[in-house]
Every structure is written in structure tokens, then in C-alpha cells.
Amino acid sequence: MWFWHLVVDYPACSVILCRFCLFYVLSTGSRYISKAAAKAQLDYDYDGPLMKTTVPGPRSQNVGAVNFFCNYDDSRGNYLVDVDGNRMLDLYTQISSIPIGYNHPALLKLMANPNNLSTFVNRPALGILPPENFPDKITESLISVAPSGMTRVQTMACGSCSNENAFKSMFIWYRNKERGHNSPSEEDLSTCMINQAPGCPDLSILSFMGGFHGRTMGCLATTHSKIIHKLDVPSFDWPIAPFPRLQYPLEEFTRENAQEEARCLEEVEDLIVKWRQKGRPVAGIVIEPIQAEGGDNHASPDFFRKLRGIARKHGCAFHADEVQTGGGSTGKFWAHEHWGMEDPADIVSFSKKLLSGGYFYRDELQPYRIFNTWMGDPSKNLFLAEVLNVIRRENLLEEVARSGKALLDGLYDLQAQFPGLLSRARGQGTFCAVDVCDAATRDRILLQTRDKGVILGGCGESSIRFRPALIFRDYHVHLFLNIFSDVLAHNK
Amino acid sequence: MWFWHLVVDYPACSVILCRFCLFYVLSTGSRYISKAAAKAQLDYDYDGPLMKTTVPGPRSQNVGAVNFFCNYDDSRGNYLVDVDGNRMLDLYTQISSIPIGYNHPALLKLMANPNNLSTFVNRPALGILPPENFPDKITESLISVAPSGMTRVQTMACGSCSNENAFKSMFIWYRNKERGHNSPSEEDLSTCMINQAPGCPDLSILSFMGGFHGRTMGCLATTHSKIIHKLDVPSFDWPIAPFPRLQYPLEEFTRENAQEEARCLEEVEDLIVKWRQKGRPVAGIVIEPIQAEGGDNHASPDFFRKLRGIARKHGCAFHADEVQTGGGSTGKFWAHEHWGMEDPADIVSFSKKLLSGGYFYRDELQPYRIFNTWMGDPSKNLFLAEVLNVIRRENLLEEVARSGKALLDGLYDLQAQFPGLLSRARGQGTFCAVDVCDAATRDRILLQTRDKGVILGGCGESSIRFRPALIFRDYHVHLFLNIFSDVLAHNK
């Protein structure tokens, strides 16, 4: 009975005793309540942080590499609750992977639909035995947000598998192009079984210093963000280009930044030529629209347009890795839409906020031969379809643009107020970042902010990254800025 | 109301109208009902195949690479139902990945528990923000079936990610061993970021011809089962040893098979020495207890014991890949338990029947530095814990040993009856296979058997593999053997 009430009637249950409602009542009685007007709030959100202990608290003992243990039952909306009852405004959202907050009523309701039961209980081998309606379901979900110029998608279980298989698609496409037809030679067939060329060809993927594309061995050969990811793991001799290092504020460094981007593009072309001469032609170029793990490094739309042109000129596939940037947090569903191109990429990979993984691809990169047992998970697609409904119904991309602007304006103010601490505030939508003077100070600020009830993430050398859910609103921004400002004042 | 009934009261609802019960009534009224005694049957299973069309039927149009589309709502127990209403006894189970059949009432019931809701809705970044009770949950599930000598497990989302990260663990362990301490040199740190040695060392994994370990690029370098997997994808220069090709019946070829295994082991040692001399030392050896995709190739416990000894002698880690063999279908929970060793492996990887992925490891292969966003999925662990309860409660490993013996005895009979068609019947538990005279005949037999209501899988050149769920019983065996015998008679 209690359960049935909870998942079916949830949004209207504020006077009935249930776990979530009870906490709502508790929270409004708390002395840590925020100043934001109650009417402005999401009815499924808490109204502010509530800290009972430092974090990790006593119940998160022996955490090791773990930050702290969480109470996901009690977490709601923008707020993550830990096992000590500390309730924190979450601007990191499980490494940017929670699209519409915790325990969103629409997702809870979905689980009460009996038609969805068998999708959770019977995970199919999607590549050979898909559910009856799966093509329609994919059309409703992923195809409804397909990047411009793309009508095909390959689902996968996680971000690394998505990029691994995207790379394979590019290699197969490139070799078919080299052969001019689809029939491999006898030598191709015999050598591939023993890992030797030409069957396993000496092709490469060009990536960028500071990039992150995952940690499986193919992905890892294109990842260059942190030593800890790469040390001791064998890799491929693939070319690595510099990613532009822009100077901020952008409007003061127009000429310098244009020169920097031109330098990087020139290096890309040099590497493509050099690797072709080495006998390891570049089959594809992989790049994040914003380098995330590597420090929230941005480049201009002009840079990406020119890079795409270079890929086309040299016959390389162009792969936009939107695993972290995709899903709406830049204010557009795909970050590469900001480039303003009709035909920006051959492959767009995704995961995280899309709840499982995969990649969109252009027709000629057809994925016959891309296969594994599960190839994704229809139960995650169920959630995704509902997430997309919520995004559309609640105009969340507009909300993101609005709250993102408030967040970035706030960061500009704070870096003006604390010039010795903060610099290079930057962002698109709520996908924002700011640099701290050094790594030790950054790490200290992250912990102090957390102890005051706000979870942030670090990235790059000494950056703080902001990755709130798409339901992050203006008043959450102000709540955060008040707390962050206090912490910065203590670190002046 | 209907839903609440369905998921909470399901096992007792046989007189009330609900989707599953209705179908139970329908099925008992079918004219294709099997001859097995009704009392012997599982109450959540169908009682026999029911074929309305050939497969794929009219509603499975435009299937492409897909076998056919499925109705997972109506599938039950050992029976997969397609969109045309054909009900097939499933001896392939989504490439060996359905442990206790379709829509098992224990799993449906689990979804009615409100305490489980937030585990489905809020997928955490397990490595940093695990749920409160997650260590206990893992202890109840994975640790309760940990292979002998292992008390640690790393969860992952799929089989390929499991093996990729297991390989990385072995490389890191090997380099730490080479260094004699944990501090990498300045050169290690600077070279790893650009994919160069010594930071990205020229280490290798030794694998076996015919092996299958996944299709991401690290895994694929150890996979050698089919050309279609490997063609056009760059790979590593890693050593590949021959896997024994045993002659059957085993008791007639004792001497020949022992010689064959000795030859393969000698080659393994030669390769280890040769690759060390080439400057690409073997950090680890990966092997399946039974080569599955490669054709259900078995070797003796003696072979594996000696291989383990060779790994130890040469300082290589030993990795048993139990992605397909693990989970009970050989009659023991792990196939390598048949080797009778206290300490068989350093790493045991799993996926498929375990519902998500991961690997067990010995203490010294500690996985600090193994990380990604999700690192598994607690909702899959919920199901796994319940699957393990069912396995224990219903003594399913004993059932597997019993039905596996019936299946193998039946295959022996059939190969005696059809010596021109079948040979080399072999198996452990229900993990059985038989060779067909050629690939074309094998493929035709698979389709004809399917049209008579039994789903089988192919593997290797011309083998048929049997991968029923753990709830496959004697009477299912006889039902299958009757149908299979008819098909074989038509192909004599």
C-alpha cells in the first residue's frame, strides 16, 4: 500500500505520511533552510543543505578511495543525502551522470507501470533478440535527440565501450575505403587472427593532449589527462595534438587565442602527414567539445569547424566525444551544436546523462560487425525516454541556459572579488569551471565547500568544475554562491 | 491494483486474471503440449514449445542481423516467446546470460519491494559515492560465491570492461613487481602521457588461439575465435599459444590427448621466453576454462594445473576468464573448480549470468587506479543476490549436474545413431556441445530445430553449443532430444 502510494501518487502526497513527504516536512523545519522563496522551488526538491557532521561523517568510516557513503533513498532533486543525514546541494551529480536529479517522481512513476516490469527482469542480447518494440523505443528516445545529419545509433553499456566501438567503426570504415570495396584479401584474413598487419592494420586515432575518452585500452590510448590513468598500461603509438590553451577573459585575448588555435590546427595537419609517412595513417580524429577531465578546456566554434575541415581534407573520420558534454548541460542537447555546423561529425558518442552508452553515426560508418552480448540495456532506455519527456515538458534546456548564465555571472563576480584565488571563469550553460591558484588550495576549497553543504568536482591541474543536474535553477545558484563566497573569504 | 497484485502476489495468483496467469491457462490448453508429467514442472515455466509460424515470423520482418523480435512479457522460465506468439524452449538464453529463466517470480517480486526503488532510479558513481549498504550487499552476493583463495572483487558494467580492467590490474602488478616498490620514475611519469615506454610499457598478455575475451581493443588482442571480430582493428603484438585440440571419446585417446596438451604447454613456455627476449614480457596469461565462442574446446584439469605452474614459474599473473563458464552451468559455480586446485588463479573475471561484470582478484593485485564513472550497477547486484538465493534454495547446481548428464548421455546416443552427422559430444553440466559434419549442415540444423520450437546456438567452425538456464530439468532434456532427433533424421 505504502509503496503503491509512493510511486503512483507521489507528486500529490504532501499531507500523507510517506518517506519522501516526511523528509519534506522535516526539511522545512530545519534551521539551515535557504532564503529562496518556497514558491520558486521544485516540489520534489529539498529546500537547502542541512549539515549534521563534517563529511565523511562517522557512519562513512573506512572510506578508502570512496568520498562518503550515500543514502539514495532520501536524496531528492538537487540534493544528495549521506549516511550521516547530511544533505548536500549536488553540483557534481555522480561525475555528471544524473540528468534530472535524484528520485525524480517521473522515474519513480515509470517503475510502477506493469508494462515495464519484464524490461528490468529479462535483459536481452539486443543485437540478435531485441524486444518487440525496441526500434520504436529507440526512435522515441535516442533518435528523437539525434545530432543533425544523423539518423542511426548504436547502443552500448557504458562510455568506454561506446568509444571503443566507435573507434572500431572508424577503422573498419577507413579500411573499406582503402580497399575500395568490401572484400578483404586472403592476407587480411589470415593475419588478423594473429594480431598482425594488414589484417590488424597499423592505423591510428589522433587525439588531443588533455583529452579523456575512457580507460579501456583503446580509449586509454587517446586519453591524456592524468598520469594515474595511463601509467603501466601498454598503449598504441598514435599521434597526440595540442589542445588550444585559451587566455581569459576571451574578449581581451582575441588575437592571441586565434593564434593559439591556428598553432594547434597546424600541428594536427603536421601529425596526420607524419603518421601517414610512418605507415600508421590516421583513420579518425577524436575530440571532446569541451575537454572535461582535462580541466574544462574550451575552444572556439571556429577551431572545431576548421578541425572538421582538416579531417575531411585528409580522409579521416571525425568523432565528437559527448560522453560528458552531451545531454543538455551546455544549454543545447549536444555541445557540438554550439559550433553552428550542419554536418559537424561522423560519430557522436554518449553515455553518463544518457543513462547508458552508445554512438550516433553517419550511414557510411555502418556498424555491421559491431557486436557484443548486451549492446546496451533496454531498462536504461526506458528511463532515458522519460528523462527526455521531462526535459521537453519542463523546458529544461532553457532553464539550464538561464541558471548557467546566473552561475557564470556569479563566478565572474567572485573572481573579481578574489583575484588571488580564482581566475579563468568559463562555461556554456551550467557546464562551468573556474581555476584556483593552486591544486592544494583547490582541494581544500572543495572539502570546505562540501562541509558547508555543496558538492563540487575538481578537474585538470587546479580547476573546479560545475556539473549540476538539468533541474538546477537560479535559486540553487544563489544558494551555492553564498556558501562558496563564504569559503573563499576564509581562504583569502 | 493489477500491477500491485502482479508483482507482490504473483506466485499465488493462479486463479486470478493477470497477464502471466492467463497465459498459463492458455498454454495448458494448447495442442502442442509436451508429454512430460505436469507435476514435474516448474510452476513458473511453460509446459512445451508452441509454434505458430516459421521463425522469423511475419511480425519479425526486416530483421537484418537480428534473429527475431521477442515478446519478453510472455516469455517464462525456459521458454522464449517471439512477436508471432511462437514459444520456444531456449537452450541459448541470450548468449548464455539468463541465469534462472525468463520472468522468474523471485525477480518480479524483488521489484515490488519499495526499498529497492531508489537503486533502480539513482545510478551512483560507485567508486566514490556508493550506497550505504553496498559493501554488505556485495558480501551477500558476489563475495558469497568468491572463488577459493579470493576475498576481493571489482565490479564492472560488462564482460569486456571486466577483462580490460583485469588486464590493467595485471600490468600494474607486473610493473610494481619489476620496480620492487611503488614509486615510478620521472621517465615513467613523463612518457606515459604520450603513450611511450617505459611509462606505457611494452608488456603483453599471452592468450590462446580459439579464445574469446571480448571485443574492445585490449580484449580483442587476446581474442582469436573469428575473423569477423578482428579484421581491420589495430592490435598488439602479443603471444598466442595453441589450445589443445582433444580427440573424442576421451577414454580412447588418453595418450594422444596428453601429448597434445604437453605440446601446447611447451609452446606456452617457448612463447614466454621468446616475448621476454623481444622486450615484451608476458605480464599475464588469460584463458577460458572451456573455450566457448571458439567451439567449446575443453582441456583436462591436468593441463590447467600445469599452465598455472608455468605462470608461477615465469612470474606471470594467471587470469581465468569465466565470463561464459561462470555462474553454475558446468555444475559448479565456477568452471575452474573442476581443476581441483586450492589456488587456481590470480584473477577470475565474470559477466553474463552474473548480470553485470567484474573480477575477483588476489590481494596483491589491488585495484587502486582501476576506476570509471559507474563501475558496475547496484540494480544488477540486487537481482544477482536474489538469483543466488534461488540457486541455493532450489539446489540448482545439483539440478544442472543431473540434467547435464541426461543431455550429454542423449548426445552420445544421437551421435551413435547419426555418426555421419554428429561427433565429439562433450560437456560439463549443461555446458555441452556437439560437432556437426560441416558448417552449412550445422546452420541448417539450427534453423530447423528452431522452427520446431528449440533455440540452440552455434560456436566454432561447425559446433552446436547448449547453454540452457540453470532451471533446465530432465524433462526439458527429453523434450529437446525428441525434437532434435527428428531434425537429425531429416538431415541423414
Side-chain angles (χ1 to χ4, degrees), chain A residues 184-191:
Chain A
S185 69
E186 279 305 313
E187 198 188 359
D188 285 340
L189 300 179
S190 61
T191 52

Short mmCIF file of all heavy atoms in Angstrom, two decimals, chain A residues 184-191:
data_model
loop_
_atom_site.label_atom_id
_atom_site.label_comp_id
_atom_site.label_asym_id
_atom_site.label_seq_id
_atom_site.Cartn_x
_atom_site.Cartn_y
_atom_site.Cartn_z
N PRO A 184 37.97 -8.27 -48.15
CA PRO A 184 39.35 -8.31 -47.67
C PRO A 184 40.15 -9.38 -48.41
O PRO A 184 39.60 -10.34 -48.93
CB PRO A 184 39.19 -8.67 -46.20
CG PRO A 184 37.85 -9.30 -46.08
CD PRO A 184 36.99 -8.78 -47.18
N SER A 185 41.47 -9.19 -48.45
CA SER A 185 42.35 -10.15 -49.13
C SER A 185 42.55 -11.38 -48.26
O SER A 185 42.27 -11.37 -47.06
CB SER A 185 43.70 -9.50 -49.41
OG SER A 185 44.38 -9.30 -48.18
N GLU A 186 43.09 -12.42 -48.89
CA GLU A 186 43.45 -13.63 -48.13
C GLU A 186 44.44 -13.29 -47.01
O GLU A 186 44.37 -13.82 -45.91
CB GLU A 186 44.06 -14.69 -49.06
CG GLU A 186 43.03 -15.50 -49.84
CD GLU A 186 42.00 -16.17 -48.93
OE1 GLU A 186 42.40 -16.78 -47.92
OE2 GLU A 186 40.79 -16.04 -49.22
N GLU A 187 45.34 -12.38 -47.33
CA GLU A 187 46.35 -11.98 -46.34
C GLU A 187 45.69 -11.25 -45.17
O GLU A 187 46.07 -11.44 -44.01
CB GLU A 187 47.40 -11.10 -47.00
CG GLU A 187 48.69 -11.02 -46.19
CD GLU A 187 49.66 -9.98 -46.75
OE1 GLU A 187 49.34 -9.34 -47.78
OE2 GLU A 187 50.75 -9.82 -46.15
N ASP A 188 44.70 -10.38 -45.49
CA ASP A 188 43.94 -9.72 -44.42
C ASP A 188 43.35 -10.76 -43.47
O ASP A 188 43.45 -10.65 -42.25
CB ASP A 188 42.77 -8.91 -45.01
CG ASP A 188 43.21 -7.61 -45.69
OD1 ASP A 188 44.32 -7.14 -45.40
OD2 ASP A 188 42.43 -7.10 -46.52
N LEU A 189 42.73 -11.76 -44.07
CA LEU A 189 42.00 -12.75 -43.28
C LEU A 189 42.93 -13.59 -42.41
O LEU A 189 42.62 -13.91 -41.26
CB LEU A 189 41.18 -13.67 -44.20
CG LEU A 189 40.12 -12.98 -45.07
CD1 LEU A 189 39.39 -13.99 -45.94
CD2 LEU A 189 39.13 -12.19 -44.24
N SER A 190 44.09 -13.96 -42.97
CA SER A 190 44.98 -14.84 -42.22
C SER A 190 45.76 -14.06 -41.15
O SER A 190 46.00 -14.57 -40.05
CB SER A 190 45.94 -15.58 -43.16
OG SER A 190 46.73 -14.64 -43.86
N THR A 191 46.13 -12.84 -41.44
CA THR A 191 46.96 -12.09 -40.48
C THR A 191 46.14 -11.55 -39.31
O THR A 191 46.66 -11.41 -38.20
CB THR A 191 47.69 -10.91 -41.15
OG1 THR A 191 46.72 -10.12 -41.88
CG2 THR A 191 48.76 -11.41 -42.11
#
